[in-house]
Amino acid sequence: MPIIETKNLTYTYPIGTKPAFEDVTIKIDKGEFVVLTGPSGCGKTTLCRCFNGLIPHFYSGKLEGEIYVSNLKVVNHPIHELAQHVGMVFQNPENQLFALSVEKDVAFGLENLGISREKMRERVDWALKITGIYGLKDRAPYELSGGQQQRVAIASVLAMQPEIIVLDEPTSFLDPVGAQNIFEVINRLNKDLGITIILVEHRLDLTSKYASRVMIMDKGRIILDGPPKEILNSEEARLIGVGIPKVTRLYQILKNKGLNLNEIPLSAEEATKGLLEVLRI
Amino acid sequence: MSMFDGFKFRSVNSSVHKMDPRAKFIYVCVMFAVAVMFSQIIPLLVLLIIQMPLVFAARVQKEWLRSMKGAAGFAIIIFLMNVFSLYFYGNYESLSAIVERSFALTLRFMVLIESFSVFFLTTSPDLLGLALEQSRVPYELCFAFTTAVRFVPVLAEEAQTIMDAQKARGLELEGGSFIKKIRNYIPILIPLIVNAIRRSLELAETMESRAWGATQNRTNLYVLRMGRKDFLLMLFSFAMLVVSVYVSLNVQIPNIIYLLNI
Ligand SMILES: Nc1ncnc2c1ncn2[C@@H]1O[C@H](COP(=O)(O)OP(=O)(O)OP(=O)(O)O)[C@@H](O)[C@H]1O
Ligand SMILES: [Mg+2]
């Protein structure tokens, strides 16, 4: 049983003339790490809004087709119920923190759910530790760097113990090192806790090595969907202009020149290893 | 260094800061009531001095002095206004009586400023929000309060950025008539408002995603509990109120001019 399933899902914003995305049929299994990418305006954010019910409960408009998340039919369940299954992390870290201390922010969702104080304490500390910000728990949000703020946002959804976490370009406001840290935290959530991850991201250089699956959207449709190596090495991916990892591009160029690596590399380490193997012959 | 810095919360590790905001609020209310009860110099001076130990216990003397200095300007205005109005409309027998009464009323203003300053300097917005919540103020209002406080520095920074950006495009902020000056600020206000609206939408989306409104029985990570010091402060406030009511009803407070025999 997939944890997310959509059938011919199509959505049009109230002020929109054409659908923001159309005819999306996907199945995502528990424990997958999906990287969703595609040119700006292709509908990635809009699709993510369906996963926790922001569409159709917060945004009106026209939603056609079917969508199930954690076996719940999204249109029939309020956002606060879906929020316990799907955590959402947005782009701008600043607008995701509203309490006056880190700790209060992480507790916010649990307070809304009416969880008892002892349990809340436990879960807040747990989430702070996993995301590596326990030491910051009494700080005010404006005293934190963007990367730290984004980790607070992740801890806040993590505390609600969702099975799925959706992150919409969580690092676009961050520097490369901050971004790298965030990706490592996300990877831990996936590998150690088994949380299903859907990550919208343009920086495939940094993320594809963690992914178990890559989806590429264009003009409101999912046009490529499969294992990272296969998708990123495809001709279509390159033509759409998604930023495929440079080492993957290097692999393609070497191949055209007649040098075949055994494996398609996604990271510099894999490329080095592949090159050493081939050059040693 | 503005007068408002004398009211802005400063995080200091003192026992006054740790007190329950509700206890401090009662204290401020009592101070207010008592200050309004008297219009003679002596009791108001006592009120001004009696609060000093609290200021020192909270280790906010510097900020407190700043608020007092800031208030001094207003105090002079209040003093002069009183002298004028009492001279023309009051029936006082001598000028010194008028000056004494005006001075007393100015002192009253200083007492009020002093107690407000102590309250706001030593009460973190976080605790204040919590106190509101526990006083059965609807949660939506408490949330609006803490969120507003949280976004003040963010908006201030944004305003600065917009101002710099518009200046870099040649916007002239200074100079011109009063109307012109106000007009100058429109290119700053509009992006600021548009951004604020966009920000509030994003915030709403995040709140929804964190199960906002899931239950009527919202819980809280912290509870405020009154401690010994809080009860002491409330006891002190209560005693003050009783003594003041007694004194104002039964004791004829002498005027300074009478004492000095002017
Ligand atoms: N709140 C909204 N109301 C109306 N139309 C919207 C809204 N948000 C997005 N759209 C439109 O829907 C389409 C898809 O936008 P979406 O934000 O989902 O793209 P995206 O893939 O996330 O792009 P980006 O990479 O820039 O974030 C765009 O044409 C956009 O103009
Ligand atoms: Mg987007």
Side-chain angles (χ1 to χ4, degrees):
Chain A
M1 191 73 195
I3 199 160
I4 292 179
E5 185 170 12
T6 72
K7 279 186 205 133
N8 308 106
L9 201 64
T10 301
Y11 174 75
T12 315
Y13 280 105
I15 56 163
T17 46
K18 63 176 184 42
F21 63 78
E22 54 192 317
D23 205 18
V24 170
T25 302
I26 46 173
K27 282 193 180 113
I28 294 172
D29 286 317
K30 194 165 167 35
E32 281 198 85
F33 190 130
V34 180
V35 168
L36 176 61
T37 190
S40 191
C42 69
K44 305 179 294 290
T45 299
T46 311
L47 182 60
C48 288
R49 284 176 179 148
C50 297
F51 294 142
N52 77 338
L54 283 171
I55 291 174
H57 302 297
F58 185 78
Y59 290 92
S60 48
K62 202 165 85 186
L63 183 69
E64 295 158 282
E66 283 173 54
I67 172 165
Y68 295 88
V69 172
S70 292
N71 293 329
L72 302 172
K73 193 168 175 160
V74 169
V75 286
N76 294 342
H77 296 266
I79 302 174
H80 62 76
E81 191 184 342
L82 292 160
Q84 297 168 58
H85 300 278
V86 189
M88 271 283 205
V89 177
F90 298 89
Q91 200 166 6
N92 188 348
E94 200 166 68
N95 291 345
Q96 296 178 68
L97 311 178
F98 12 66
L100 298 164
S101 77
V102 165
E103 193 176 49
K104 282 285 283 173
D105 235 309
V106 176
F108 182 72
L110 302 177
E111 292 178 341
N112 285 334
L113 292 172
I115 307 261
S116 74
R117 189 163 303 114
E118 297 72 41
K119 222 171 179 181
M120 184 151 34
R121 185 78 264 169
E122 233 170 69
R123 285 220 226 158
V124 167
D125 288 349
W126 172 78
L128 286 170
K129 279 178 189 146
I130 289 188
T131 46
I133 47 171
Y134 188 75
L136 305 175
K137 70 186 173 72
D138 295 316
R139 298 270 203 98
Y142 55 84
E143 295 173 325
L144 304 178
S145 72
Q148 289 170 330
Q149 287 184 346
Q150 201 56 288
R151 275 195 274 173
V152 176
I154 294 176
S156 304
V157 302
L158 185 62
M160 294 166 81
Q161 301 189 323
E163 297 110 75
I164 308 162
I165 294 183
V166 180
L167 306 101
D168 187 5
E169 302 190 41
T171 66
S172 58
F173 286 45
L174 309 183
D175 59 284
V177 177
Q180 183 65 44
N181 284 335
I182 294 290
F183 293 140
E184 268 153 28
V185 169
I186 297 169
N187 189 43
R188 275 210 301 280
L189 301 184
N190 177 251
K191 304 295 181 306
D192 299 349
L193 304 175
I195 296 174
T196 308
I197 301 286
I198 298 175
L199 172 64
V200 176
E201 197 43 70
H202 290 293
R203 304 191 202 191
L204 298 177
D205 260 329
L206 294 174
T207 50
S208 48
K209 62 171 182 253
Y210 303 124
S212 66
R213 181 169 167 188
V214 170
M215 283 187 200
I216 299 182
M217 274 183 98
D218 190 25
K219 301 196 184 79
R221 286 170 188 275
I222 294 200
I223 52 160
L224 291 169
D225 179 4
K229 294 190 178 182
E230 193 182 296
I231 299 297
L232 294 174
N233 189 36
S234 69
E235 190 63 13
E236 294 97 315
R238 194 167 65 81
L239 292 178
I240 284 176
V242 298
I244 60 175
K246 289 183 193 66
V247 285
T248 312
R249 187 76 195 106
L250 176 69
Y251 166 86
Q252 293 169 345
I253 293 169
L254 288 176
K255 192 171 181 185
N256 285 343
K257 301 251 180 246
L259 183 62
N260 261 317
L261 303 191
N262 298 332
E263 284 241 25
I264 303 167
L266 291 177
S267 64
E269 293 80 45
E270 283 177 13
T272 324
K273 188 164 151 270
L275 276 171
L276 284 175
E277 275 168 14
V278 183
L279 296 177
R280 216 171 269 152
I281 302 168
Chain B
M1 263 225 270
S2 88
M3 168 179 172
F4 294 104
D5 287 346
F7 294 94
K8 211 159 72 190
F9 172 66
R10 279 265 338 269
S11 178
V12 178
N13 192 11
S14 85
S15 49
V16 181
H17 284 72
K18 288 203 193 88
M19 275 184 189
D20 195 311
R22 292 171 294 183
K24 280 190 270 187
F25 184 69
I26 289 175
Y27 162 79
V28 170
C29 291
V30 167
M31 272 306 188
F32 195 97
V34 172
V36 172
M37 238 178 260
F38 295 102
S39 48
Q40 297 89 349
I41 290 190
I42 296 173
L44 286 166
L45 210 54
V46 170
L47 282 181
L48 195 70
I49 292 166
I50 213 172
Q51 301 198 64
M52 301 243 182
L54 209 58
V55 173
F56 283 97
R59 286 188 275 130
V60 289
Q61 310 83 304
K62 271 217 308 260
E63 292 74 20
W64 170 77
L65 258 177
R66 192 173 295 170
S67 73
M68 297 314 268
K69 263 193 224 151
F74 285 97
I76 291 170
I77 296 173
I78 290 176
F79 179 74
L80 292 178
M81 297 256 281
N82 270 302
V83 171
F84 273 114
S85 61
L86 292 180
Y87 185 76
F88 289 113
Y89 301 107
N91 31 9
Y92 286 78
E93 62 276 20
S94 72
L95 189 62
S96 49
I98 289 177
V99 168
E100 166 152 14
R101 187 166 166 87
S102 305
F103 188 67
L105 294 179
T106 310
L107 258 181
R108 178 192 282 169
F109 169 72
M110 295 307 270
V111 169
L112 296 183
I113 290 288
E114 182 179 39
S115 40
F116 278 127
S117 155
V118 170
F119 181 79
F120 285 109
L121 274 174
T122 65
T123 306
S124 81
D126 229 351
L127 283 185
L128 195 55
L130 201 57
L132 286 177
E133 239 174 278
Q134 290 190 15
S135 315
R136 303 224 173 76
V137 175
Y139 178 67
E140 286 75 11
L141 284 180
C142 308
F143 180 78
F145 170 77
T146 42
T147 313
V149 175
R150 147 110 182 77
F151 278 100
V152 164
V154 176
L155 287 182
E157 195 178 313
E158 192 166 274
Q160 191 60 51
T161 312
I162 293 173
M163 229 183 293
D164 291 344
Q166 299 289 50
K167 272 191 201 154
R169 291 177 191 172
L171 176 75
E172 213 47 84
L173 282 180
E174 283 91 35
S177 65
F178 182 68
I179 301 285
K180 178 108 200 310
K181 264 188 197 141
I182 292 180
R183 274 246 211 89
N184 287 346
Y185 275 88
I186 290 178
I188 289 170
L189 276 180
I190 289 177
L192 198 62
I193 291 169
V194 170
N195 271 351
I197 292 172
R198 185 173 303 149
R199 189 188 295 281
S200 66
L201 278 177
E202 270 180 40
L203 275 171
E205 220 175 337
T206 311
M207 283 160 62
E208 291 283 349
S209 308
R210 304 252 186 94
W212 171 266
T215 162
Q216 288 300 311
N217 306 317
R218 209 176 173 277
T219 46
N220 208 307
L221 185 61
Y222 297 113
V223 256
L224 283 176
R225 284 214 183 80
M226 297 252 184
R228 238 187 50 219
K229 288 191 180 109
D230 301 311
F231 286 118
L232 273 175
L233 184 67
M234 285 197 291
L235 197 70
F236 169 76
S237 312
F238 185 68
M240 241 284 291
L241 191 64
V242 173
V243 170
S244 307
V245 169
Y246 179 82
V247 169
S248 70
L249 291 181
N250 298 315
V251 181
Q252 178 68 42
I253 301 168
N255 285 338
I256 303 272
I257 43 168
Y258 173 79
L259 288 177
L260 296 178
N261 232 332
I262 304 174

